[in-house]
Every structure is written in structure tokens, then in C-alpha cells.
């Protein structure tokens, strides 16, 4: 009984060459490299989904707006920039 499924993908030649180059550099097969890449993508996507869900669930509990958040970020970046010089 198989413990894995098979997925076929098409890649442009330059991307296929990059997959081969990276797999060789990492000492992996193409399949191992692509499995790892997908796991990382899926985990990052899951974390973003959780962050957005948290934000949506809590946005009504505060007076924050997108504009006020952007202004706070800009203010923090300006302050951090002054501290570095």
C-alpha cells in the first residue's frame, strides 16, 4: 500500500533548472525539496490566516483603523531611524 500520493506539476525550464540546482546543493531529491518548500509555504500561510483572523475578531474591540495603524508604524520607524544615527 502506498503511503504517499503523486502530484504532477509543470515548470518553465528556468524554474525546473533552479529546482534541480537547489536540490543538488541541499543534497535532496526534487521531491524532498518541493515537499519541504510546500510545508514551509503552508505553515506561513496558516500563520498569516491566524493573524488576520485574530485581527478581524478583535478589530471591533478597539478604536484602531487601518490609517491609525499605518501612522503608528510610520512613527515607530521614524523613531527607530533616529535612534540608529
Amino acid at each position: 500500500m502506498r503511503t504517499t500520493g503523486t502530484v504532477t506539476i509543470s515548470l518553465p525550464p528556468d524554474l525546473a533548472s533552479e529546482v534541480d540546482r537547489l536540490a543538488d546543493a541541499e543534497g535532496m531529491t526534487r521531491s524532498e525539496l518541493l515537499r519541504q518548500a510546500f510545508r514551509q509555504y503552508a505553515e506561513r500561510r496558516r500563520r498569516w490566516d491566524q493573524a488576520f483572523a485574530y485581527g478581524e475578531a478583535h478589530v471591533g474591540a478597539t478604536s484602531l483603523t487601518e490609517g491609525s495603524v499605518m501612522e503608528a508604524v510610520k512613527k515607530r520607524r521614524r523613531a527607530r531611524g533616529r535612534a540608529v544615527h
Side-chain angles (χ1 to χ4, degrees), residues 14-82:
D14 58 329
L15 188 53
S17 294
E18 185 71 2
V19 167
D20 288 340
R21 187 189 70 73
L22 289 170
D24 185 56
E26 295 292 330
M28 299 178 173
T29 65
R30 288 177 183 160
S31 291
E32 290 169 329
L33 178 74
L34 294 172
R35 276 192 295 271
Q36 181 176 345
F38 178 75
R39 283 186 193 106
Q40 290 175 0
Y41 172 83
E43 177 60 22
R44 187 173 55 245
R45 175 65 189 256
R46 185 187 64 75
R47 288 193 310 255
W48 274 111
D49 288 347
Q50 286 178 335
F52 281 113
Y54 178 86
E56 288 175 6
H58 293 86
V59 73
T62 68
S63 60
L64 292 176
T65 65
E66 184 175 345
S68 66
V69 170
M70 292 302 294
E71 188 55 39
V73 169
K74 288 178 188 177
K75 183 177 177 181
R76 175 71 175 138
R77 286 178 178 165
R78 284 192 300 268
R80 187 176 47 190
R82 283 194 296 268

